Amino acid sequence: MTAARDDVYTHGHHDSVLRSHRWRTAENSAHYLLPQLRPGLSLLDVGCGPGTLSADLAQRVAPGQVVGIDVESDVVELARRHATDVGASNVELLVGDFRTAGLTPASFDVVHAHQVLQHLSDPVGALAEMARLARPGGLVAVRDGDYSGMTWAPASPGLDRWLEVYLQVTRHNRAEANAGRFLPAWARQAGLDDTTYTTSTWTFATPDDRAWWADLWADRVVASNLAEQAVAYGVASAVELADIAVAWRSWAEDPDAVFVILHGELVARVPAG
């Protein structure tokens, strides 16, 4: 996840957050982009986190180079270890904010960000900077969730309250949790007119998938930056957050439970001249 000084990363880097980040692959998180990739392309992965997605994308463009960048040094170190473990020798990992790190303009064939714009106070400016770093005729590719578009069954007052808390915290952070639906508008405002917009979902419906997803959020709502911010902002008490954690685990035990996450995806071609 990348952030400027005035950006507040709602999730932070608690293990409950990193567990979900490490789960991400090119197939489950960047499938919309894969038809555009080919060997030899250079790719910048903005907000690379622990690097599983960066390393997976590197396989698709090898021998081309992938540069991953994130503001959190500890997370970048995890990404370096992962790249070494999987033999992704064409991955370079940097600590910094892609907007201020001094990256060379017009130097990447693809500039990619997964679940980043939703955490930034100026997503339009971020898209414009991504376009500046892409070569003429290159691609900007972004994918973000849409929290208000998420749906689940059975009904759960605890999960309803979870969403309310999350939306209030992100608004306090001047971020847009429903970023997925705004990608076309933000791209146009950033000067990107040649765009393709799609949607896709993550679905958690098996017992193992439900338990994994519920455990992540049950932990996040009591132990991550989200929990600290919710209490500090007066959005929820620690006792209420503990109740929400119980609701998550209770939901997952229902044999008919499903949770569907909506994502918006956008590929923009940078003007050739």
Side-chain angles (χ1 to χ4, degrees):
M1 167 51 218
T2 188
R5 276 182 290 181
D6 61 345
D7 291 322
V8 179
Y9 185 27
T10 299
H11 295 295
H13 296 92
H14 185 266
D15 180 66
S16 59
V17 178
L18 296 180
R19 290 204 306 271
S20 67
H21 291 181
R22 291 192 295 264
W23 169 79
R24 296 171 183 173
T25 66
E27 284 294 336
N28 68 30
S29 298
H31 192 267
Y32 74 105
L33 177 60
L34 298 186
Q36 306 290 339
L37 301 183
R38 66 179 186 275
L41 294 182
S42 60
L43 184 148
L44 174 66
D45 191 17
V46 171
C48 64
T52 54
L53 183 50
S54 306
D56 214 8
L57 291 171
Q59 294 183 11
R60 312 300 176 118
V61 300
Q65 186 81 1
V66 168
V67 175
I69 187 166
D70 199 287
V71 297
E72 181 61 38
S73 60
D74 290 345
V75 172
V76 171
E77 182 57 33
L78 292 176
R80 289 180 178 137
R81 293 176 193 169
H82 177 75
T84 298
D85 289 345
V86 299
S89 59
N90 60 325
V91 177
E92 179 183 4
L93 284 310
L94 304 176
V95 178
D97 185 320
F98 81 102
R99 295 164 291 190
T100 59
L103 298 171
T104 304
S107 58
F108 296 95
D109 296 304
V110 181
V111 181
H112 165 267
H114 185 264
Q115 311 297 348
V116 171
L117 296 184
Q118 64 185 277
H119 297 292
L120 305 183
S121 59
D122 182 15
V124 173
L127 278 166
E129 179 61 18
M130 292 174 71
R132 192 180 75 89
L133 294 171
R135 292 191 175 101
L139 300 178
V140 170
V142 288
R143 185 176 192 250
D144 271 277
D146 186 320
Y147 275 74
S148 293
M150 296 179 186
T151 188
W152 57 84
S156 168
L159 267 61
D160 290 344
R161 181 58 181 147
W162 159 77
L163 182 57
E164 291 172 355
V165 168
Y166 188 83
L167 292 176
Q168 289 180 51
V169 170
T170 53
R171 287 167 187 153
H172 193 283
N173 290 338
R174 298 189 302 120
E176 179 51 76
N178 297 329
R181 69 183 69 180
F182 296 114
L183 298 181
W186 290 347
R188 181 181 55 78
Q189 293 168 41
L192 296 168
D193 297 319
D194 184 357
T195 62
T196 300
Y197 179 75
T198 55
T199 60
S200 63
T201 59
W202 287 337
T203 301
F204 301 96
T206 69
D208 287 346
D209 286 349
R210 287 195 305 268
W212 180 78
W213 186 243
D215 281 344
L216 289 177
W217 275 106
D219 288 346
R220 284 192 202 188
V221 297
V222 296
S224 71
N225 282 22
L226 170 64
E228 296 174 4
Q229 292 164 17
V231 173
Y233 301 161
V235 173
S237 68
V239 171
E240 184 177 16
L241 294 176
D243 289 341
I244 293 172
V246 171
W248 266 108
R249 291 194 167 99
S250 177
W251 165 84
E253 292 172 358
D254 190 305
D256 299 322
V258 298
F259 198 103
V260 181
I261 301 176
L262 175 67
H263 303 277
E265 307 157 337
L266 182 135
V267 176
R269 189 163 296 279
V270 176

